Amino acid sequence: MATIQLIDRRLNGRHKSAQNRQRFIRRYKEQIKQAIAESIAGRSITDVVSGGEVRIPRRDIAEPEFQYGSGGRRQGVHPGNREFVAGDTIERPPGGAGGQGSDASDSGEGEDDFTFTLTRDEFMDLFFEDLALPNLHKTRVQMMVEEESVRAGHTHDGVPSNIDIVRSLTGALARRTALRGPLRAEIIALEERLAAASDAGERALLRADIEVLEKRIDKVPFLDEFDLRYRNRVTRPKPCTQAVMFCLMDVSGSMDEQRKDIAKRFFMLLYHFLHNTYEHIQVVFIRHHTSAQEVDEQEFFQSRDTGGTLVSTALDLMDRIIAARYPREDWNIYAAQASDGDNWPMDSARCRDLLVEKVLPAVQYYAYVQIVAAQEQQLWAEYDSVRAAHPHFVMQKIAERSDIYPVFRQLMRKTPS
């Protein structure tokens, strides 16, 4: 199948340079990532990863430089003006900074922050950098495949950016040698005949033939279009693993609007991370109060139904869905649960048993996030007893919006393979 390659030759916008922009991002990546993390807390759920302006402290973008320190003696020559003439001495300006003053203006407005605008793709790349689903293993060959670009030798057609210079010049040298070699051999033979010839007419004819051959050699181009070789790449199918993420969110009455907002922000981040990082992954949304229900994405984030709390209903539903649709030998199964930990007293022990006996043996990784309640809840204590014996079960607490990003990065940090 023919491959179409498109080259964007549009010029950058006025006073903008893509190279400078990428250089800036590389140099100040850590400051920008910190600014991105801080900007998340103030955004709406739908705009969590929409790009936009971020601010980094101006002091963080200042490059170190050598300069004169305070004190010492030095001499300088200045052109003079109406007040000073050659030979006058000028007192050192007061202050140790050379008399340049501070950055603040006399109107009280300073330039403490540097505003930088990120596109949505740049924002998401920085935001999800160094994150990955833990313990992702290749299960047996699946129907889902990815395509990867691999080298496939060289071709005579392509775009200028793919020219292989070494291979092209090597081909040109071979062509020149092949075309000019017989002519040079013929010239050598004619020169030998010329050296042996005594007749003036014959010598003139031989010189004319040699001149014709030399012109033919000069006409052989140094580099012909035929010599150009372009690096060729083709796409080939690449087997990939199947993965499914279960999102379990507590929407009971004890989860007030602030806690639900934190939980939704966490799952929104998770949702964007999965779809930005992995091409083939399924997400199962489960909401629960006294009963659990599998819902779609829109209902998961927007529905407002509520009630009492039975967390075990969500775990039981997840177990039934795994048994029906996601056999553990074929799927990498992940789960993330968010709750305030307020559960029916007799139900927390059942949650622990469900986790240990049914859920954890089937999943690659299970992350429990507790939206911090005023008092320690029984569900946390029950889950805490599970953590020690199951390293792929992790727990974290989120108290406020600013905790979401660091907790999320800690849960999804990329581990060395």
Side-chain angles (χ1 to χ4, degrees), residues 366-402:
Y366 194 106
Y368 171 66
V369 175
Q370 179 164 299
I371 315 300
V372 175
Q375 297 179 347
E376 196 65 69
Q377 301 295 319
Q378 187 181 8
L379 186 62
W380 178 272
E382 295 290 349
Y383 277 8
D384 196 31
S385 65
V386 176
R387 177 164 49 177
H390 300 82
H392 62 301
F393 176 76
V394 296
M395 303 168 60
Q396 290 290 337
K397 292 182 179 179
I398 296 178
E400 52 189 18
R401 287 181 177 180
S402 59

Side-chain angles (χ1 to χ4, degrees), residues 33-85:
K33 289 171 69 174
Q34 180 62 31
I36 289 173
E38 294 174 354
S39 71
I40 294 299
R43 297 189 173 195
S44 64
I45 292 177
T46 55
D47 294 335
V48 165
V49 288
S50 62
E53 290 187 349
V54 296
R55 295 176 181 272
I56 59 178
R58 186 183 180 188
R59 63 179 181 277
D60 288 341
I61 62 173
E63 297 185 19
E65 59 179 354
F66 291 101
Q67 62 181 9
Y68 289 114
S70 59
R73 294 174 61 86
R74 61 177 182 270
Q75 293 183 339
V77 179
H78 301 279
N81 53 26
R82 293 180 180 178
E83 300 179 15
F84 302 100
V85 297

Side-chain angles (χ1 to χ4, degrees), residues 305-329:
D305 64 319
T306 184
T309 310
L310 281 176
V311 178
S312 63
T313 58
L315 299 175
D316 188 57
L317 177 59
M318 175 181 169
D319 177 58
R320 284 186 276 122
I321 293 175
I322 291 175
R325 289 151 44 189
Y326 302 103
R328 52 190 295 186
E329 62 272 16

Side-chain angles (χ1 to χ4, degrees), residues 5 11-12 23 30 71-72 77 94 158 236 251 258 286 343 373 404:
Q5 293 180 304
L11 299 176
N12 294 315
R23 189 179 300 115
E30 291 303 320
V77 179
R236 69 180 182 189
V251 294
Q258 182 180 359
I286 296 178
N343 193 21
I404 296 176

